[in-house]
Amino acid sequence: MIAKYCRSLNKSRRGLSRIAAIVVAASAILPAIPALAQNKPIRIGFAMSVTGGLAAAGKSAVVASNIWRDNVNAAGGLLGRQVELVTYDDQSNPALVPAIYTKLLDIDKVDLILSGYATNQIAPAMPIAVQRKKLMLALHGLGNNEEIRYDRYFHVVPYGPSPKKDWLADFWKLIEGITPKPTTIGFVVADAEFAQNSIGSVRALAKSNGFKVVYDQSYPMSTVDMSSIVRGLKAADPEVVMVFTYPQHSTAFIRSVSEVGLGPNAKLVGGGMVGMQFANALQALGPALNGFVTFHFYVPGPTMDRPSTTAFLKIYQAAAEKEGVDPLGFYIPTFAYARLEVLQKAIEATGSLDEGKLADYLRATPVETVVGKVAFGPTGERLERGAIFVQYRGITDAGGLDQFKRAGTQVIVSPKALASGSLVVPFSAARK
């Protein structure tokens, strides 16, 4: 019995020795498991319009975002991890956006999300961000958070702390500066979130300033031909025409004005025309742009010179030439890059991907970027108002795209602090 017990004990000891050896080996391996998890890339996901009506903007945003990714990864990544961007084409269709963000979060398991480009594309992503408590860094959305007031939303483009009423303030000053003061106004408004978010405050301003609204026309996003709208404007003959259009409609509107004309009383035409900031529209329209006024955030000229922006644009323009996207990059790319700088600096400062900590940091801390210092207000909007209004002048067919790379064809007429020239009125004189 004793011998049997000893044999059993010896077997047990040998077994224990083997187990101990396995445990020792495992102890050497197991610390590597969290290290492997830590070294997985940080995945940042977003929808972007690379086809459809917003493609000119979307493609340039992707190129700018990839420049940031490559710069960060070359410098060692974030938190010791490389960065991966996961993007899907929303085809400029807001209806596709919710499914894209659900896939990014549930299937791709991204760590962080960004918005797509434009108010219409941001709006359908917001409920998902709120429900999942995700940080949302937005790109060119007008008033997407004014009513929701989500505390993890941040918008890097300076439409002002109350965008719906702030962003057109300097355009309205142009109207007030016309002599004699105009008394009639007309509106052309896309049936889309950006335009509808803009028009409410403008109608209120017109009413409070005693303007007579002689034309007020909304149109569906499916509209292709704007000539009937332009004919209606010509017949109503307002002195001020405020236009809130998306890229394809801006181009169609300008071409229709060239063909049909406007009434003899037209003094100021434009305001919220999206698309005129992109190189493809500038090339396609050429001299037809003369006289129109629209918003922008950067054009070449001494009043807008910022070394960080200039340096970035050189890098972007070299990449854009290779990728065949917007070769100027004045409108979208700088902000697409800047919002990732904002995210990067929040991650580095907090040493974390915790989205509550990142949001707390961004609410409290201004961040230096390629577009200057970015500081956010209570609703995540920029504290400063940065829209400029430019009047297109002296554009020729022979000048090609090069004429937009220098000062003179996109004259800043408002605000006064950045102005490179004065508004030319009436509209017919500025067309020459």
Side-chain angles (χ1 to χ4, degrees), residues 126-143:
M126 285 293 287
I128 296 170
V130 174
Q131 183 183 26
R132 307 289 188 97
K133 297 183 179 179
K134 301 298 290 182
L135 190 74
M136 176 60 87
L137 290 170
L139 182 65
H140 275 287
L142 185 70

Side-chain angles (χ1 to χ4, degrees), residues 94-164:
L96 300 181
V97 170
I100 289 174
Y101 282 91
T102 300
K103 182 180 187 303
L104 285 167
L105 292 167
D106 292 343
I107 297 175
D108 297 313
K109 304 291 185 184
V110 298
D111 299 288
L112 300 161
I113 59 172
L114 307 171
S115 81
Y117 157 70
T119 312
N120 292 7
Q121 312 304 106
I122 297 169
M126 285 293 287
I128 296 170
V130 174
Q131 183 183 26
R132 307 289 188 97
K133 297 183 179 179
K134 301 298 290 182
L135 190 74
M136 176 60 87
L137 290 170
L139 182 65
H140 275 287
L142 185 70
N144 283 104
N145 199 39
E146 276 199 37
E147 294 176 10
I148 301 171
R149 302 184 75 84
Y150 179 49
D151 64 357
R152 296 184 181 183
Y153 172 94
F154 299 93
H155 183 211
V156 75
V157 185
Y159 284 99
S162 299
K164 292 181 184 180

Side-chain angles (χ1 to χ4, degrees), residues 19-37:
I19 290 169
I22 291 168
V23 169
V24 170
S27 68
I29 294 169
L30 286 172
I33 293 173
L36 284 171

Side-chain angles (χ1 to χ4, degrees), residues 21 49 67 89 99 114 135 174 180 193-194 267 274 281 293 301 314 327 362 364 371-372 432:
S49 304
I67 293 170
D89 179 15
L114 307 171
L135 190 74
L174 284 176
E193 196 128 356
F194 165 75
K267 292 181 172 63
V274 182
V293 176
K314 286 181 180 178
L362 291 176
V371 296
K432 295 176 181 175

Side-chain angles (χ1 to χ4, degrees), residues 23 78 96 113 174 278 285 299 304 335 363 384:
V23 169
L78 293 175
L96 300 181
I113 59 172
L174 284 176
F278 306 142
L285 292 167
V299 292
M304 297 226 69
F335 291 108
R363 275 194 297 274
E384 67 272 29

